[in-house]
Structures are given as C-alpha cells and as structure tokens.
Amino acid sequence: MTKTERTYLDWNATAPLLPAAREAVIAALDMVGNPSSVHGEGRALRMLVEAARRDVAALVNTAPAHVIFTSGATEAANLVLTPDYRMGRTPLAIGHLYVSEIEHPAIREGGRFAREAVTTVPVTRAGVVDLDALERLLQDHDKARGLPMVAVMLANNETGIVQPVKAAAEIVRRHGGLLVVDAVQAVGRMPVDIEALDADFLIISSHKIGGPKGAGALVSRGEVLMPAPLIRGGGQEKGHRSGTENPAALAGFAAAARAATADMAERNARIAGLRDALEASMRLAANDVIIHGAEGERVANTSFFSLPGLKAETGQIAFDLEGIALSAGSACSSGKVGQSHVLTAMGFDAALGGLRVSLGPGSAQADVDRFLAAFSRVVSRRRVTGNAA
Ligand code: PLP
C-alpha cells in the first residue's frame, strides 16, 4: 500500500458525493434566477425545487407537501423541537420533551425547549430505548403544562442499532403525545415510511446518503399540526422556513434520494455481507473484541466495536496512520474525540473506547481487506492496561 492510499470507512459521518448528485448540483448552479421569481428563469428553478421535493417525499413515503427543506438535519431538529405549535390556527403548547439518551446532539440538546423541559429516556444494555421507562415518564407527565413530545431515532449513528420506533409510537399515542423520529442514519439503509412508523415528524439529511452537505428536511405527517418557524422572513417553504432556497443543494439531495430508494434490498444485502465478514474476521484476530449491538437488529453498514485497553482516540489515530478513515464514537466539532455518550448510556465503563466502521454503496471487499490488515497490526501493538475493560 502506498502512503497516499486511503480507505474511507466513515459513511455515517458523511457519505462520499454520488456522481449523479454532483452532476445535478453543477447543472443547477448554472441556472440563473430565484425560485420565487415569476419569470421563466425563476419558474425553471421552482420546477427543480418542486421535483426535488417529490423525490425526497418518495424516500419516506409521503406527499411532497409534507417536506420542508432545511440546511440539514440539525436545523430540522431545531425547527421541530419547540414548545410552540399550531394546530391550524390554534396555538398548541408542548409541555415537555423526552429524548432517548442515545440521540444525536442535534436532538439531545432539545432545540428550542428550555433545559428544564427536557428529560432523557434511558436505553437498555442492548442499546435500545427503554420502553418501560418511556411509559413511566409519560404516565407522570403533567398535561396541564402542555402535551408531551418524544424523540426517538430510527437507527443510531454510532451503533447502527435500530430502535423500536413503532412500539414507542404506540406508547406516545396512548398518552396523547407527539413523536419526532430522527431518520438520518436510516434512510437508504432500511425502508422508512412515516405512516408505518406512526411518527408525527421525521428528520433527514442529504450528506448521509451521498448528497451534498448543507441540505436536509423536516417531514411532517400532515400540514395541520406545525411548529413555529425557526427562521422568519420572506415566507418560503410555506412560511415554515424563510430564506431563498438552495436549488443546487436540493437537486443533489434529490439525486441522492433517488439512488437511496433504488435497489435498496440488494444493495444493503451486499453491504451486510461485507460488514458481517469484517466482524467475523475481527473476532478471529482479537477474541476479546466487543461488537456492540451485534445480537440485535442493526442497519447493514455499521460496526461499532471496542478493544479493551485501546482508547478511542488512540485507536482512531492508529487507523488513520494506517490509511483508514473511521470514526471514534463521538467526534466533537473541535475534532477532539470525546467519550461515546452511547456507550455510557448502554452502561459501559467510561474508559472503554468505541470505534466505528461504517460502509456504503461504494465500499468493496478490498476496503474490508485493507481494514483487516490494519486491524491485525493495531491489535498486535495494543497495550492491555488491565482496568480498561
Ligand atoms: N442525526 C444523526 C443521527 C446524525 O448522524 C447526524 C449527523 O451527524 C445529524 C442528526 C445531524 O445532521 P446534519 O449534519 O445534516 O445537521
């Protein structure tokens, strides 16, 4: 292997831009005008934005009118997580937000809710949201303060573990609450259907499926129950998100959404084959490797593992020097590797580091082989420190 050869195994952080998305972005960048203008140039861009809306709606099996484009999943989360709602013209108060402990910080931070109005819902040792705990929390919810809102992600970004969203929805319905589902890591990796999940809102992001960064959407179940806008101004996106749309980013998002829905079962079966072979070989090379969530339901592309005695930061650097781009459980925006809040929530010792390999449609056996060769070298260099397990 030459020094410059790199192996990208961090698709959950960002998927490489798909060629079709790149082409769509570039074609749209060259279009003149503003999608809100009534002249021909503006109308052409409006058509492009609305075609993108149809493609993104199809990704989660809903009507185009239910898609609000945003600058990404984080913005979509901040739009939907607010105590301030309207049911048609009538104001509706949401009293408290319940978020699973393993949510991405975009959700766990609670959006526009006051800190004291956010409660975390624990997860089990198996890394799934504790539904009994959710039931108890909603039983104790004080409806006089407003309705409860619950946020449970569909697939966890660190472990890939699929969460029991449908079962959570049943509990939320029984208590008259609203359910927000972060489907960022699920779209393209498993079928996602807002109706089948019985969710009120879904959050999705373009760059996790091969579209450009800086585009995402809040998808609503209908158009009656809606959050107060986060960004006010010219009234674009039916007043839910003002600001001139970014047609280039949306065209790229749409191309990625089309690719994500095409041949999904075959694509993910192939990716699962690569991931499962990778995990089997890791177990052979290191019999103490812990593969998180391997016994339960996971999306096909993710493997989150710990090697007792190897810190996440040390492991990530070691793999990077080997030419492998993978991720430690949680990378702060500063680039520093923090403790995985997911492993902590699952009850693991804070000293146990987690490393994440995430694959995608462009991953090949050669990538897995290069990773495994590096894995063997990292394992043989590992210094077991006794108390780190
Ligand atoms: N939710 C999950 C599960 C994620 O993995 C991410 C990205 O890391 C986000 C939300 C935030 O997405 P965006 O980068 O589009 O703001």
Side-chain angles (χ1 to χ4, degrees), residues 102-103 123-124 126-129 131 152-166 181-182 185-187 189-192 197 275 292-302:
I102 54 169
E103 294 299 303
V123 298
T124 66
V128 294
V129 60
L131 294 174
V152 177
M153 67 202 322
L154 187 47
N156 181 262
N157 46 303
E158 294 191 16
T159 60
I161 294 173
V162 175
Q163 300 298 310
V165 167
K166 185 80 184 60
V181 176
D182 174 351
Q185 297 288 349
V187 284
R189 303 184 179 141
M190 60 187 278
V192 180
L197 290 171
R275 191 270 313 269
H292 301 288
E295 319 73 35
E297 192 190 348
R298 285 181 298 168
V299 282
N301 75 322
T302 307

Side-chain angles (χ1 to χ4, degrees), residues 72-74 104 153 157 182 184-185 205 207-208:
T74 302
H104 186 276
M153 67 202 322
N157 46 303
D182 174 351
V184 165
Q185 297 288 349
S205 177
H207 72 108
K208 307 291 181 174

